[in-house]
Amino acid sequence: MNIDKKRANGRYYTCGNPFQLEPFQRWAKESDLEQQIVLEPFAGAKNIPQLIDATQLECQDWKFYDIEPGAKGIVQRDTLADFPKGFNVCITNPPWLARNSATRRGLPYPESTNYDDLYKYALEQCLINCLWVAAIIPEAFIRSGLFQKRLCDFISLVPQKQQSTNLENKKRETSSMFEDTEHPVGLALFAPSYTSDVRIWRNNKLLGKLSELRQHLPLPSSNRSIVFNDPKGNLGLFAIDNTVTASIRFCPPAELGEYQVKTQCRSITKIGVPWNVDIDILNTRLTTIRENTYDVFLTAFKGLRRDGCYRRRLDWALARSIIDVENLQLTMRLE
Ligand SMILES: C[S@@+](CC[C@H](N)C(=O)[O-])C[C@H]1O[C@@H](n2cnc3c(N)ncnc32)[C@H](O)[C@@H]1O
């Protein structure tokens, strides 16, 4: 299938199996999956029920819908416009399509929503209509702050390297979630009622509660005297990990040599800071934040680093709050 056609319907089918993970297994018990008729409103080629079967979980039955069914037994319907009613449980991987990507490529995007990505609109429909929702969505969702009242668990799905000697298996060593995109993905699990906090997982490893992880972030800074993309800046920043390890770091601007600062650039920059910066202290703060928050608040990139983690980017807002000397003084007073 042509890539723009896939994009138009957000059509990347699920292949990896996140349903074997402990948090999903618990969610399945709590939602009484065995007794439920489960809704898959964006069914594609019916991959999700096969994955659930493979984990030995059972449900009473499934009901499938898709605007463009990819297998038999799927009702053809635009479920975004006319969402199926009467289901307690929904398990899906909805269509993903960023509004700006749709505009750039001339693809249709529903006018009935202000969300910047189709998956948010699709997820909202699932949550309005169903009590229990499990959805495979972009990993970035956890930083969006959306729909958190009923979110009980969020799992960052990191492809695992499987040890194998057999050549055929070696080709599949890293079990990616999708056939044709390595977009960082997560599995969001929602309950019928308000949850007091969200458990954050990396596969089967519990990283902590969202509110606890947030406590390791510096206070937000609105200090506009710290100027990003300043060609004469006194601080350099490599804001994106390399493909090997967690390599984001502050550096002396001289290390960037003749590098020409570009206003749109989000990977390497020079920063104007109106005081003498201690680069070692900034890098120590950055490392501590990364270790304590497991990078949950840094944007992940396509493709894994050699150490098995997603490459991450430090955005300007968090960089500013790390640099801000007032924050630094406050943190020191608290320590
Ligand atoms: C990301 S794919 C996932 C398919 C399947 N859930 C899976 O995990 O393999 C999203 C699916 O949503 C379907 N879709 C997109 N827009 C839709 C709409 N408005 N109504 C119903 N299905 C839609 C696409 O045709 C595609 O099959």
Side-chain angles (χ1 to χ4, degrees), residues 9-14 40-44 47-48 66-68 77-80 92-95:
N9 284 338
R11 185 186 264 264
Y12 291 102
Y13 295 158
T14 308
E40 213 311 17
F42 309 99
N47 286 357
I48 285 186
D66 200 287
I67 199 165
E68 207 179 314
R77 190 193 287 192
D78 179 345
T79 51
L80 286 177
T92 192
N93 164 15

